[in-house]
Amino acid sequence: MPELTYREAVRDALSRAMRDDDDVFIMGEDIAEMGGSMGVTQGMLAEFGPDRVRNTPISEMALVGAGIGAAMQGMRPVVEIMYEDFTTLAMEQIVNQAAKHRYMSGGQVKVPLTVRTQGGAGWSPGAQHAQQVEARFVHVPGLKVVFPSTPSDVRGLLWSSIYDDNTVLFFEHRTLYPIKEEVSEELEPIPLGRARVHREGEDVTVIATGRLVHEALTAAAEAEKEGVSVEVVDPRTLQPLDEDTLVASVKKTNRCVVAHEAVVRGGFGAEVAAVVQYQAFDWLDAPIERVGAKFTPIPFAPVMENFVVPDAADVLEAIQRTVQRGG
């Protein structure tokens, strides 16, 4: 089985889709010669040419709008927004156009647009290039939201997103690009709406997204040294959400920690906590713990950034709290 980095897995999914289907093309700021700000699309211009690997002006509203138009005409564009912080500049196009046309046309018009974007802290990019904004889009009917944490997941889920007939917001985390994993030679599509259990456990369920999946796995290994068995579950797709897998895990362990990098207030973890509380209240032996960033813009200074953004130690503390409070 070949070993791919997260970055290579994204490129592999894009390239295979473009080889198989002439209706698939990519566009974004500096994605051609430069290969994108994170080097994800390096080499694709040479293989596919400038008609299918398109540089765009620095206008997120314009490039998403162009993607919507192409999708409505039957193509399957993949638009890259360089940093997810800048999805704010395309909000009208994403929220009021891409998300609504299929419903408003009674299904006559499809918008199979994939909007790739990346972000996240951990490398001192400052307050305007490090936010995690996925919860904003989970709140919008008509959109699907995907947030993979491993190379195999990012490859299989990106393929499925490209071939979904709805608009998909596809989030990647900057610090995950170098991580490696063995993947199958054949690309295996992963259905949207199916969670992944990374680690089986008996005492606590940690439901984590993005980078925090890896922090949760580190915390789980530490908790095991203390005699606490931790199950780690990654939803992978935030909308649709695999509620059955999340709830089943909590019913087994009777405790729950929800962890993400975004700020706690109004974060995606609040929705997960509500789902678990409603569907598994009688099984809970302790209140649901939530782990996320402190309620502040992300600082530039590394020591301050580390203080604000959650890590494995924060997840471990939440695990310990819920065990101590449990019956």
Side-chain angles (χ1 to χ4, degrees), residues 93-106:
Q93 293 290 340
I94 296 170
V95 172
N96 287 330
Q97 305 302 324
K100 303 294 192 292
H101 284 302
R102 190 172 189 187
Y103 175 81
M104 292 171 64
S105 69

Side-chain angles (χ1 to χ4, degrees), residues 23 26 53 81 89 102 139 174 178 182 198 203 206 223 249 270 273 284 291 303:
D23 287 334
I26 60 177
V53 182
I81 294 180
L89 297 166
R102 190 172 189 187
H139 189 66
R174 164 69 174 83
E182 286 189 348
H198 280 268
D203 299 323
V206 178
S249 177
L284 287 170
V291 177
V303 65

Side-chain angles (χ1 to χ4, degrees), residues 6 84 132 134 145-149 157 169-173 176 209-211 234-238 260:
Y6 190 101
E84 64 188 78
Q132 295 278 259
E134 62 276 3
V145 182
V146 181
F147 195 0
S149 64
L157 287 166
L169 271 292
F170 197 91
F171 288 90
E172 301 159 18
H173 196 286
L176 296 182
T209 60
R211 180 183 64 86
D234 179 3
R236 300 195 292 193
T237 62
L238 314 187
H260 54 60

Side-chain angles (χ1 to χ4, degrees), residues 150-196:
T150 68
S152 59
D153 286 348
V154 79
R155 190 172 70 151
L157 287 166
L158 182 53
W159 180 276
S160 295
S161 298
I162 292 170
Y163 286 100
D164 196 291
D165 285 335
N166 302 281
T167 296
V168 179
L169 271 292
F170 197 91
F171 288 90
E172 301 159 18
H173 196 286
R174 164 69 174 83
T175 63
L176 296 182
Y177 284 129
I179 68 169
K180 294 182 178 181
E181 183 183 39
E182 286 189 348
V183 300
S184 64
E185 189 70 43
E186 295 298 319
L187 191 153
E188 300 174 354
I190 299 172
L192 304 190
R194 186 175 298 173
R196 176 178 175 181

